[in-house]
Amino acid sequence: MARRPPLSRLLWLGTIAWGVALALAPWWIDFPLLLALAAVLLLLEHRLASEHRWLLRHGLGWGLPGALFALQRALGGGVFAWVIALLGMLVGYTLLAGLEAWLDRDARRAVKLDAGALNQPAAEPSEWPRARVGPPAEIIELLAPRWCGAAEGIDDPYGGRVVHRDGAYCFDDGTRIDGVGAQAAFSPSGRWFAARLPNDRGIVLRDRDTGKLHRLRGWQLDGWYREQPWLIRRHGDMPLALRAVLGDDAAAED
């Protein structure tokens, strides 16, 4: 979920000023502005910091009453105008609730997966760092990936070098991974090969022991743990093991 900054006096003053400004501005300026804020949240969700996402959502929630007040002023301020404004409030906050649910879908999914891990038998190794029942929780410390550029090739832990040519990584054994960007990383022992998609739109992972290839759009490699990749949607999210991502994300392609 979006990280909520402390509600300081300055933030409250800014919120009040925002609402008053929308109430005094023409409604035909207010509503396109609010729609633009919603469009930024939907289209640039993965590029925004959590604080910026929260400020945009805060601005939508508190800007809607000001815009509706401006609308009822434009309609003459009578009973009909107030009825339209109240109906707009009902519809607007219903849409905002839907937007909030959509933006928080990954956080709820992570909580669901975390809770499911608590019900696994105690004999199985724990995959989640926050188990609260059973054996003591396992502390998972991820090893950050060492990204390398492709200008001069990358040393392969299994031997040889990997080079990037024509949008593809080529291995000495003839393996070729197409449609990837120029940054890549190996897991500590070399079992996994990771390459970023162009424009940082996701990650490609190849299990070199099994030969399986996974293209995960919208996911980023956060680190390695016990030679396995752990992924996040955006900075600040709780990392998920690849098994959890493949089991819950329909966008994953084997």
Side-chain angles (χ1 to χ4, degrees), residues 56-230:
L56 289 174
R57 293 160 73 166
H58 186 74
L60 279 172
W62 287 90
L64 182 60
L68 290 172
F69 184 81
L71 177 61
Q72 70 84 26
R73 277 195 307 111
L75 293 176
V79 175
F80 175 76
W82 279 108
V83 170
I84 294 298
L86 291 176
L87 288 176
M89 188 82 69
L90 177 62
V91 173
Y93 278 109
T94 301
L95 292 175
L96 283 180
L99 177 63
E100 294 275 345
W102 171 259
L103 294 174
D104 292 336
R105 65 194 185 282
D106 292 329
R108 291 197 309 274
R109 178 185 301 165
V111 172
K112 178 181 177 182
L113 291 172
D114 193 11
L118 302 182
N119 297 324
Q120 294 183 0
E124 296 183 7
S126 173
E127 180 181 317
W128 304 102
R130 297 183 180 179
R132 298 179 179 84
V133 296
E138 181 180 0
I139 299 176
I140 295 177
E141 295 183 3
L142 299 181
L143 181 64
R146 298 180 60 183
W147 296 105
C148 300
E152 300 178 358
I154 306 171
D155 288 330
D156 188 342
Y158 283 9
R161 291 181 66 79
V162 182
V163 295
H164 187 268
R165 290 194 298 264
D166 300 325
Y169 272 103
C170 304
F171 293 73
D172 285 351
D173 62 2
T175 300
R176 179 183 175 94
I177 301 177
D178 296 296
V180 292
Q183 282 195 317
F186 284 99
S187 60
S189 297
R191 172 180 174 177
W192 287 91
F193 176 78
R196 287 174 168 164
L197 290 174
N199 299 320
D200 211 22
R201 294 194 305 266
I203 194 77
V204 174
L205 294 169
R206 181 173 184 265
D207 186 345
R208 305 177 70 194
D209 287 358
T210 65
K212 289 186 176 181
L213 187 70
H214 309 284
R215 292 182 182 270
L216 302 168
R217 296 187 181 277
W219 290 91
Q220 301 297 330
L221 177 63
D222 194 45
W224 309 102
Y225 179 71
R226 292 183 176 177
E227 199 61 20
Q228 291 295 318
W230 284 63

